[in-house]
Amino acid sequence: MDDKGWVSVQQLLDALHKDNKWEKVSEEDICSMIAMSEKKRHEMEDGKIRAFYGHSIPMHIKKEQKMPPDILYHGTARRFLSRIKIDGLLPQSRQYVHLSQDISTAQSVGLRHDNKPCILQIAAKRAWEDGIPFYLGNEKVWLADVIPSKYISEV
């Protein structure tokens, strides 16, 4: 895998084919999986494939900085709120903090951790103007290295 997260599709297929249950997977199957995925987690280009976001591997995947919209959202469990107010949003076991462009996506994410999640509003454009880098994950997900607490408020 290169420093931007790309790996050769052929290398991926060779690795998959070592396991009997994946021996018939083809490049067309991978293309279909990407096209049919609702979350759009992967992309293919020039015979290579990579995940847009969510990497939890040891090497840091470099993303291109991009100016975010004015406001982004983050859904989280209520039990984490006091720590977030002190430390801000940290990537935890991921490489980046994941942010949503809309409240409903943030709500869905938060529901994975709490039946009444807290939705946080991020002053993304102001943070960007103050030097906080943001990266576009896909059409619904934005990424950041960290979001200091001064840019976070509860919805």
Side-chain angles (χ1 to χ4, degrees):
M1 183 181 310
D2 69 17
D3 65 349
K4 294 184 179 174
W6 291 103
V7 66
S8 155
V9 172
Q10 190 57 54
Q11 184 180 356
L12 173 63
L13 288 169
D14 290 345
L16 288 171
H17 292 161
K18 290 179 181 176
D19 186 319
N20 289 341
K21 68 181 177 183
W22 302 107
E23 67 186 355
K24 295 186 187 216
V25 173
S26 68
E27 184 170 342
E28 292 76 27
D29 294 326
I30 294 172
C31 290
S32 294
M33 181 235 10
I34 291 170
M36 294 182 343
S37 170
E38 286 183 32
K39 293 193 175 186
K40 302 296 179 213
R41 293 180 185 258
H42 301 88
E43 67 179 323
M44 283 179 62
E45 186 177 293
D46 299 326
K48 294 182 178 183
I49 185 171
R50 72 173 175 180
F52 280 117
Y53 60 90
H55 301 90
S56 54
I57 60 172
M59 71 181 272
H60 189 74
I61 304 297
K62 296 177 186 173
K63 304 294 274 180
E64 185 177 333
Q65 290 187 30
K66 188 162 183 163
M67 184 173 67
D70 291 349
I71 302 295
L72 290 168
Y73 301 94
H74 182 82
T76 192
R78 292 168 287 169
R79 67 185 178 276
F80 300 139
L81 200 52
S82 61
R83 194 82 239 163
I84 290 170
K85 287 179 179 179
I86 296 167
D87 296 335
L89 287 170
L90 304 173
Q92 303 302 338
S93 63
R94 294 178 164 184
Q95 292 198 15
Y96 296 100
V97 173
H98 291 209
L99 306 166
S100 305
Q101 286 196 171
D102 58 80
I103 292 175
S104 63
T105 302
Q107 179 81 17
S108 296
V109 170
L111 281 168
R112 292 185 210 152
H113 309 285
D114 191 328
N115 64 350
K116 292 183 181 177
C118 182
I119 306 303
L120 304 176
Q121 181 173 297
I122 313 303
K125 181 87 176 280
R126 187 165 57 95
W128 169 265
E129 290 168 349
D130 289 349
I132 303 297
F134 287 82
Y135 317 93
L136 182 61
N138 67 21
E139 68 270 3
K140 287 189 173 189
V141 177
W142 282 81
L143 308 169
D145 299 308
V146 64
I147 303 292
S149 58
K150 72 180 186 175
Y151 302 107
I152 302 169
S153 61
E154 290 182 62
V155 172

